[in-house]
Amino acid sequence: MSLSQGIVRAALLLAILLLTGSCSSSPPNLRASGKPRTIDMIVKMNHGDYWNTVKMGAEVAAKEFNVQLTFKAPDNESDIGGQIQLMDQSIQNKADAIILSASDYMKLAQVTDRAAYYKIPVISMDSEVASARVKTFVGTNNYEAGQKAAERMVALTGTNSRIGVMNFVQGSKNGDEREEGFMDYIARFPGVQVVAVEYCQSNEQLARELTRKMLNEHPNINGIVALNEVASIGTGEEIQKLGAGGRVKLITFDSPAKVMELLQEGTVQATVIQNPFNNGYLAVQYAVEAMEGLDVPERIDTKSKIIDLDNMLWPDNQKQLFPFVR
């Protein structure tokens, strides 16, 4: 076993031991008995460590609150029409509540309003939707997360540098906010140029191709930020393949096993992690509260943080670092 693999394995073991403390305590009066209520959770795509961890958190809460949870998603994050169809199905099936991570801020708004018209409470999770009828938003402050990534990038590349951005789906609210936060922070430094912004459609192969294109067109590029899990894996693998690891600084998002491996090998310098387990858990909890007619907060920020080689093994970081996929 290599040193890198040993560190990852040790961190994962510690994370599993800490898992039981990762979700928030819940109001005991919501732990209902009797016929389960139905909640449909509709997310951006049906695979990936991030979404599997969201699902795990949601399933823990569903068991606690006596909820029948149905997890739905299209095959790809760019399938906005597929996500609208899933919303329509949930409305037709008269779900008691819907949790939605909208792939497109504007295009999912009408169907979200339609759910509210039929008195189905909608909880927005991970990525917001342009509807005033949503009960609450559970997730990361994505603008702030983008600023954290930019701050670290400037620290790594200096105030006279050339930077690229690998975003995922244009029109996705969380991607747009991460990019906006990143750009606003970079704008403080006149010597830092953003030389390319690409959208990989949450497709690893396309992220690889666009990374190769970025490096070919801008051979003196100093750094790239990749704004979600899929973009991070594709960008990181291509940088490594081209032998540019370390020379081209890479800031990623999320903590799938591949990104953590690239971090230890020096291709990734830091990654912005979220809290997908708590996103799933709290979305179900607040959906139950909304069904009960209780007042819920307008926003629940589940926080983000920068992880690098210096802090990845800190005990407080372990619950978020690795996906707990069954």
Side-chain angles (χ1 to χ4, degrees):
M1 183 190 302
S2 69
L3 176 61
S4 171
Q5 290 172 325
I7 293 174
V8 171
R9 184 167 295 181
L12 180 56
L13 177 60
L14 180 56
I16 292 170
L17 292 173
L18 293 170
L19 177 59
T20 54
S22 65
C23 57
S24 299
S25 59
S26 51
N29 61 320
L30 292 179
R31 299 188 185 99
S33 58
K35 182 181 178 181
R37 290 156 290 193
T38 60
I39 296 178
D40 286 359
M41 174 175 276
I42 301 171
V43 301
K44 295 182 178 183
M45 60 183 182
N46 58 16
H47 58 278
D49 290 343
Y50 180 88
W51 296 115
N52 285 330
T53 309
V54 167
K55 182 181 179 183
M56 179 178 289
E59 288 173 340
V60 170
K63 183 176 181 181
E64 182 174 345
F65 299 124
N66 192 33
V67 162
Q68 181 179 323
L69 179 73
T70 302
F71 189 85
K72 301 180 176 182
D75 291 337
N76 194 280
E77 191 169 332
S78 60
D79 186 4
I80 296 162
Q83 212 182 34
I84 292 171
Q85 289 177 359
L86 292 173
M87 282 287 290
D88 277 328
Q89 289 173 11
S90 294
I91 294 168
Q92 292 166 11
N93 294 337
K94 300 180 180 179
D96 291 319
I98 297 172
I99 297 166
L100 172 66
S101 179
S103 290
D104 189 283
Y105 181 67
M106 295 303 300
K107 293 178 182 177
L108 270 293
Q110 186 175 20
V111 72
T112 301
D113 287 342
R114 189 155 61 248
Y117 174 81
Y118 287 103
K119 303 189 184 307
I120 300 173
V122 178
I123 305 298
S124 181
M125 180 199 66
D126 176 75
S127 184
E128 296 179 73
V129 62
S131 171
R133 309 295 294 275
V134 167
K135 295 293 185 181
T136 188
F137 168 73
V138 177
T140 302
N141 181 326
N142 287 292
Y143 181 89
E144 182 182 87
Q147 293 230 314
K148 290 176 182 177
E151 181 180 19
R152 180 58 62 93
M153 182 65 79
V154 172
L156 289 167
T157 63
T159 55
N160 288 282
S161 55
R162 292 158 298 283
I163 306 299
V165 177
M166 185 66 70
N167 205 330
F168 42 108
V169 177
Q170 195 164 14
S172 173
K173 185 66 170 176
N174 55 348
D176 290 348
E177 287 179 338
R178 290 172 195 177
E179 182 180 323
E180 182 182 2
F182 186 88
M183 294 294 198
D184 285 354
Y185 188 91
I186 291 295
R188 303 177 191 180
F189 305 94
V192 178
Q193 303 173 46
V194 177
V195 297
V197 178
E198 301 287 358
Y199 295 87
C200 70
Q201 306 304 319
S202 281
N203 181 293
E204 284 183 23
Q205 181 56 38
L206 183 55
R208 294 184 191 99
E209 294 170 5
L210 292 172
T211 300
R212 192 181 319 122
K213 172 176 175 280
M214 203 181 289
L215 294 179
N216 286 338
E217 293 180 353
H218 306 281
N220 294 322
I221 197 168
N222 302 110
I224 298 175
V225 61
L227 296 181
N228 80 344
E229 174 185 305
V230 178
S232 297
I233 293 171
T235 302
E237 288 182 338
E238 192 63 23
I239 287 176
Q240 185 181 57
K241 178 182 175 181
L242 295 173
R247 178 182 69 79
V248 178
K249 307 303 182 186
L250 178 59
I251 306 295
T252 59
F253 267 70
D254 300 320
S255 56
K258 184 61 184 179
V259 165
M260 301 313 295
E261 179 184 329
L262 292 169
L263 175 65
Q264 297 206 44
E265 293 172 353
T267 299
V268 171
Q269 277 64 53
T271 190
V272 182
I273 65 167
Q274 306 176 78
N275 200 329
F277 185 94
N278 272 9
N279 285 354
Y281 183 95
L282 292 173
V284 171
Q285 177 182 324
Y286 285 108
V288 172
E289 292 190 17
M291 287 188 286
E292 292 291 319
L294 302 177
D295 289 333
V296 297
E298 183 178 342
R299 301 181 69 84
I300 297 96
D301 181 4
T302 54
K303 307 299 182 183
S304 63
K305 62 177 69 173
I306 285 272
I307 295 294
D308 56 25
L309 282 177
D310 292 333
N311 66 10
M312 66 174 290
L313 294 180
W314 292 2
D316 286 348
N317 291 334
Q318 292 303 297
K319 288 179 286 185
Q320 295 170 245
L321 263 177
F322 294 93
F324 311 116
V325 180
R326 290 170 181 162

